[in-house]
Amino acid sequence: MPHTYWNNIVSTPGSSAGMGQSNQIVDHASNLLQATIDRFGLILPSAVLALLILGFIYHDRLVFSPGKRSGIYDIPGGLPLIGHTHQIMKFGTTNQFHRFQELALMSPTQCYRLTFAGVGSMIMINRPEYIEYVQKTNFENYPKGFQFRDKLGDLLGHDGIFVADGDVWKTQRKMASHMFSANQFNNWVRVVVHNELNTIDTILDKVASQKRFSIQGLDGTTSGMSDAKGGMVNMTELFFRYTLSSFAKMAFGSDLGCLTEDPASLENPHPFAVAFDFSQGVMNKRFVNPFWRILEAITPEGARMRSSIKLIRNFGTAIIKQRLVEAGIKIDGIDLNEKSEFSQEHKDLLALFMEQTQDPEALLTVVLNFMIAGRDTTAQTLSWLLYELCANPEHVKLIREEVDRVLGPDAAEQRVRVNYTDFKKFPYTLACFHEAARLHPSVPKNGKEILRDDVIVPQGPNPHNLPPIKVYAKERVGWSDWVMNRLPEVWGEDADQFNPKRFLEKDEKGGWSYVQQSQWKFHVFNAGPRLCLGMNLAGFEGVSFLAAMLQKYDFTWASKQQGQTSDWPPMYANSVTHPMKDSYQCIITPRNYNE
Ligand code: HEM
């Protein structure tokens, strides 16, 4: 055996040579310690000692995060003091929900814990039974908390409805609820949406009546030269413009001019939308990178983020200034004599808030928070829905049958539209919209802070015997609707399939009736006191669009040769909401009644 330093230390106990060596080492060590103390005082050695002790205690998790406990599966691979920080940073935001799903499937209850720098100890509770406790039973103990304001505050403000808690949130919610409950607003919504649908109809009409060169099916076969008519439309862009334009009109009385009758206007994305989408992608990264502030200060991405926020804020400020001026409130540098087409006649969202404050900064927060709520969510759901209908065309037939029956077979041709209060008369169409929202939830992940130590007790029947979970103050709870909605334990064996019939049953007359699911199971609109305020508005916009367009046009997924820019199936982009990674195109043709 070679004569090593280690051999010397552990050499036969009592051997004088060995004893001599170990004495030397002890001497060395104490000399070194003495020298360090002489130079640095007690600080450095104490720090090293403290680090060693902490590393021993927190050998697999983030320093100062609470220990293991029953009912929560701790994801393996945590390192001393930093926990899963390295893993989370490595994951980044690529295929984020697939990663969450992999982690959930490692746990017997699909609930698990990660500890990582920047966020702390995060307990994922991907089950309706637990979410109900957090969002309703002990609601006050689980605010949105600092994390949301820290990561989203520079865009959405610190008092916006999405990030606020306590009295600030209550005031915002109360005021906004007035808008949604007022009859006047419902009428106004109907007028706006019908006008926007007429514009879209004109666009699609122009495109569908172009003479077509050739059409290529999804299977790649080309039908060759054709006298048939049709053309291609960027549908994701169309949906974003539809919801942005209509929401700005109904909530802020502002015509943004982003939806015109010219199909060519859809070719380039709207600058506001580009900036908004980009900044949401960056905000998403902040949740997985504890060094985001430093990175954003020095990287081109950070610079672009700052200029995007500036653009978005200018855009919102313009809306507000116009309204303040119209209300007779003086704003420097603005001279508007004309009133906008929409303002004053209706008490829209902005008018309600302006009764409370005329501070442009506070109003900007309102505008931007509601813009994200009103534009992105519904447009994204519609994009995913139309893709699902291209993939599962058997549902188009049933939607058309329903629209023919309720509105009459010529409704779309005569521009007879669905009424705001009537959209529930279209159970099949609504079920398709909700099924797309279930599989592709617009808020795919969410979370709350924990104020005080607590035990999360599963609510409701608890068929899977989920255990109660002990949680501690300053930890966070989180969930992913994207993951939860794919769990067979929650939605059955076909959970990952597009199946609108899970929201339907046959009534006594043989027609479809809509089956209301519990808010906790069908959780995509959130639940409890913070239930989405725009749920009905979104349903109305979705059903109205399908009724108006599917009765009149055929939509076929364009092939790559035709200029398709998306993969099939489309990928999602990692963001705080749930957009597609690339926009997609459909070939629009007049409806073929022979099919
Ligand atoms: C398919 C469409 C939609 C989906 C899936 C959806 C989903 C959600 C979700 C999950 C939340 C909770 C967000 C959070 O905790 O941070 C939420 C909140 C909210 N949604 Fe929606 N939403 C949709 C459309 C709309 C529309 C069109 C509006 C119209 C303004 C709207 C207004 C709101 C508001 C104001 C809140 C905040 C509620 C609160 O915290 O008290 N949503 N929505």
Side-chain angles (χ1 to χ4, degrees), residues 173-188:
R173 175 141 185 131
K174 207 167 150 201
M175 247 187 289
S177 314
H178 282 321
M179 173 180 104
F180 288 96
S181 58
N183 268 342
Q184 197 192 20
F185 175 73
N186 297 347
N187 275 334
W188 180 226

Side-chain angles (χ1 to χ4, degrees), residues 135 144 148 161-164 169 173 176 179-180 247 369-370 373-375 377-379 381 433 437 441-443 446-448 479 481 523-527 529-535 537-539 541:
Q135 289 201 296
K144 295 217 117 179
F148 277 98
I161 190 163
F162 275 111
V163 294
W169 164 72
R173 175 141 185 131
M179 173 180 104
F180 288 96
F247 195 69
N369 275 261
F370 279 85
R375 175 196 89 120
T377 50
T378 314
T381 307
F433 184 72
S442 296
V443 182
N446 210 337
K448 298 282 188 130
W479 57 86
D481 281 356
H523 185 253
V524 301
F525 288 102
N526 219 28
R530 292 191 88 138
L531 178 70
C532 169
L533 279 172
M535 186 166 76
L537 173 57
E541 287 185 299

Side-chain angles (χ1 to χ4, degrees), residues 152-160 162-163 276 283 365 368-369 372:
L152 313 184
D154 53 353
L155 180 63
L156 297 181
H158 290 87
D159 295 340
F162 275 111
V163 294
F276 217 45
M283 289 191 304
T365 297
L368 295 181
N369 275 261
I372 197 172

